[in-house]
Amino acid sequence: MAVLQRIRNFFVPPAIEPEIIIPAPADTVYEIKILNDKHIDEVWKLNQRCFRVGENYTRGTFNYLISLPTTLSYRIITLDNVMVGFIFVTLMEDGTAHLTTIGVAPEHRQRGLAQQMLLHIEDALRRREISMICLEVRVGNLSAQNLYRKMDYAVMQRLKKYYNNGEDGYLMVKSLI
Ligand SMILES: CC(C)(COP(=O)(O)OP(=O)(O)OC[C@H]1O[C@@H](n2cnc3c(N)ncnc32)[C@H](O)[C@@H]1OP(=O)(O)O)[C@@H](O)C(=O)NCCC(=O)NCCS
């Protein structure tokens, strides 16, 4: 039996215990700062709490994104300097921008932090005279879609089997003019 169990464990990854989320204190004070190569470990760990296995970025991807001169990245921190949110945008050759990833720690969600990061990065793009930002979102990710719709992003196209697991995506776009 022990051998059978060991073989089964080899093929079936152990179930990950769902995280118990205790909301952060309501009076938590937040600040937006630039995210750079000093923050790779912290953003990599936070992205693993924000996205499911297979949907999250590797440390190598964050290393690569931060090394690009065309990446704009910001983090939200608490007063004790703990990262609780991140946003990455890539400047494209055609003068538009692409929202690469955004995440907020579960215990700090639904407090306007993602909205705050989007507004911040959109202002940074306008200062660079970027007139349009686009993104892709899973059709099943309703909270993110609500966020983007609230921020005036519009669905331009349904992307068939866009994600690794075969899930469709939406291409969403916002004019910054
Ligand atoms: C999507 C995500 C970034 C939103 O972060 P957040 O800080 O909680 O969002 P905000 O508090 O700024 O919410 C802004 C709006 O988004 C929508 N929204 C956010 N969370 C929602 C939820 N759980 N259910 C429904 N709508 C939600 C609402 O329209 C909300 O406006 P409202 O507060 O007036 O209702 C966060 O849930 C997250 O990190 N998810 C996992 C990572 C992810 O999916 N990233 C996007 C990939 S495309």
Side-chain angles (χ1 to χ4, degrees), residues 10 23 32 47 67 82 108-109 116 141 148 160 167-168:
F10 186 75
I32 294 196
N47 112 97
S67 74
V82 174
H108 295 272
R109 285 186 189 161
Q116 211 179 311
N141 192 345
Y148 301 137
K160 284 274 167 210
E167 186 174 353
D168 290 358

Side-chain angles (χ1 to χ4, degrees), residues 50 102 104 109-112 114-115 141 143 146-148 150:
C50 290
I102 181 170
V104 172
R109 285 186 189 161
Q110 295 188 274
R111 297 170 181 217
Q115 270 191 88
N141 192 345
S143 45
N146 286 344
L147 163 71
Y148 301 137
K150 187 172 183 197

